[in-house]
């Protein structure tokens, strides 16, 4: 029995050594300045790699595996995402424009230099739990049922955004700009709102917990 146990342990060791050596001697593929147009990655595998200054136009990522890929200074235009796998995915200076993003767990991404911008997008049931979004941008987007719990949203501006049912819990909202945002609900007692900006028209979003009739 001991001999068989040692043999199995040796096999496991060999597997891990092979994986390590493969990652060391076969570096990730680099794709530069490329455009990917109308590709349905729901039907074909997405090639893991480092994508630098690339454009993805009208592509579909339904349950696609984007794990371990690196995206740097890329644009996603009119793309659809539905619950893709994002384990250790890197998004650095990424723009999503007119995209629909459903069930994206950004919290599973690599948080090193994580920076994303959303322009005229729909985000539903996504999560940024514990992410540093300090340099991210949200403009003219519907951000619904999105989890911002324990996030750093310092100085972020939600410009003309609908934040219906989105969660702010233990979130750093210092200097965050909600001036033109609507339908948010934030508990001042459970979030850092130091110097956060609001308008007279949307202050009621800070009072929902008190069940007040504001006339």
């Amino acid at each position: 029995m001991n001999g068989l146990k040692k043999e199995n342990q040796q096999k496991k060791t060999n597997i891990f050594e092979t994986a390590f050596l493969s990652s060391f001697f076969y570096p990730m593929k680099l794709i530069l300045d490329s455009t990917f147009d109308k590709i349905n990655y729901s039907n074909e595998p997405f090639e893991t790699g480092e994508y630098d200054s690339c454009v993805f136009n009208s592509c579909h990522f339904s349950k696609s595996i984007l794990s371990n890929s690196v995206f740097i200074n890329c644009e996603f235009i009119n793309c659809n995402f539905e619950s893709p796998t994002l384990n250790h995915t890197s998004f650095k200076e990424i723009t999503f424009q007119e995209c629909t993003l459903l069930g994206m767990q950004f919290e599973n991404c690599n948080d090193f230099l994580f920076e994303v911008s959303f322009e005229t997008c729909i985000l539903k049931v996504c999560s940024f739990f514990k992410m540093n979004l300090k340099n991210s941008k949200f403009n003219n987007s519907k951000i619904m049922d999105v989890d911002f719990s324990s996030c750093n949203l310092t100085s972020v501006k939600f410009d003309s955004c609908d934040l219906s049912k989105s969660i702010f819990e233990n979130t750093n909202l210092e200097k965050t700009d909600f001036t033109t945002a609507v339908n948010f609900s934030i508990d001042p007692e459970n979030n850092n709102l130091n110097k956060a900006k609001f308008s007279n028209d949307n202050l009621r979003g800070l009072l929902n917990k008190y069940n007040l009739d504001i006339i």
Side-chain angles (χ1 to χ4, degrees):
M1 291 292 290
N2 289 336
L4 181 59
K5 185 176 181 180
K6 287 182 179 179
E7 183 179 348
N8 289 335
Q9 289 177 340
Q10 184 62 43
K11 287 182 179 179
K12 290 182 179 179
T13 300
N14 291 339
I15 291 173
F16 287 124
E17 288 178 347
T18 300
F20 172 78
L21 292 173
S22 294
S23 63
F24 183 80
F25 288 108
Y26 299 96
M28 186 178 295
K29 182 177 180 179
L30 176 63
I31 301 97
L32 288 170
D33 299 307
S34 298
T35 297
F36 302 87
D37 193 50
K38 296 182 180 179
I39 300 176
N40 188 347
Y41 291 108
S42 309
N43 298 327
E44 61 179 271
F46 184 84
E47 183 176 14
T48 302
E50 180 175 332
Y51 294 81
D52 193 333
S53 303
C54 294
V55 176
F56 296 85
N57 183 49
S58 299
C59 295
H60 293 267
F61 299 88
S62 178
K63 295 180 172 55
S64 304
I65 298 176
L66 305 181
S67 297
N68 300 311
S69 283
V70 177
F71 300 93
I72 303 172
N73 192 32
C74 292
E75 293 181 82
F76 292 90
I77 302 171
N78 194 33
C79 292
N80 291 320
F81 297 82
E82 183 178 351
S83 301
T85 303
L86 299 175
N87 295 330
H88 308 295
T89 306
S90 294
F91 289 119
K92 303 175 183 180
E93 298 184 47
I94 303 305
T95 299
F96 296 92
Q97 183 176 344
E98 297 184 343
C99 293
T100 299
L101 306 96
L102 306 177
M104 290 189 70
Q105 303 299 305
F106 288 102
E107 65 190 70
N108 295 328
C109 293
N110 184 345
D111 61 359
F112 181 67
L113 297 179
F114 181 89
E115 183 178 332
V116 289
S117 298
F118 300 94
E119 175 76 33
T120 318
C121 290
I122 297 174
L123 292 84
K124 286 187 177 181
V125 200
C126 298
S127 178
F128 293 96
F129 180 64
K130 288 187 175 181
M131 296 295 293
N132 183 3
L133 300 175
K134 184 176 180 180
N135 296 314
S136 296
K137 298 177 179 64
F138 299 85
N139 184 41
N140 194 34
S141 295
K142 293 184 177 180
I143 306 169
M144 309 171 77
D145 286 296
V146 173
D147 189 359
F148 292 105
S149 298
S150 300
C151 278
N152 180 11
L153 285 165
T154 301
S155 299
V156 168
K157 183 175 183 178
F158 288 99
D159 191 6
S160 301
C161 289
D162 183 345
L163 292 163
S164 297
K165 298 183 180 179
S166 288
I167 300 170
F168 297 91
E169 185 76 24
N170 194 32
T171 306
N172 186 356
L173 298 171
E174 184 173 357
K175 298 181 181 178
T176 306
D177 192 339
F178 293 95
T179 305
T180 58
V182 297
N183 298 327
F184 58 83
S185 180
I186 300 172
D187 185 350
E189 297 178 15
N190 293 331
N191 298 279
N192 177 13
L193 289 172
N194 185 36
K195 295 187 177 180
K197 297 179 182 179
F198 301 90
S199 70
N200 290 329
D201 295 329
N202 64 17
L203 278 173
R204 67 178 60 206
L206 301 175
L207 304 172
N208 290 336
K209 67 174 290 185
Y210 302 109
N211 196 30
L212 302 175
D213 287 330
I214 302 176
I215 301 174

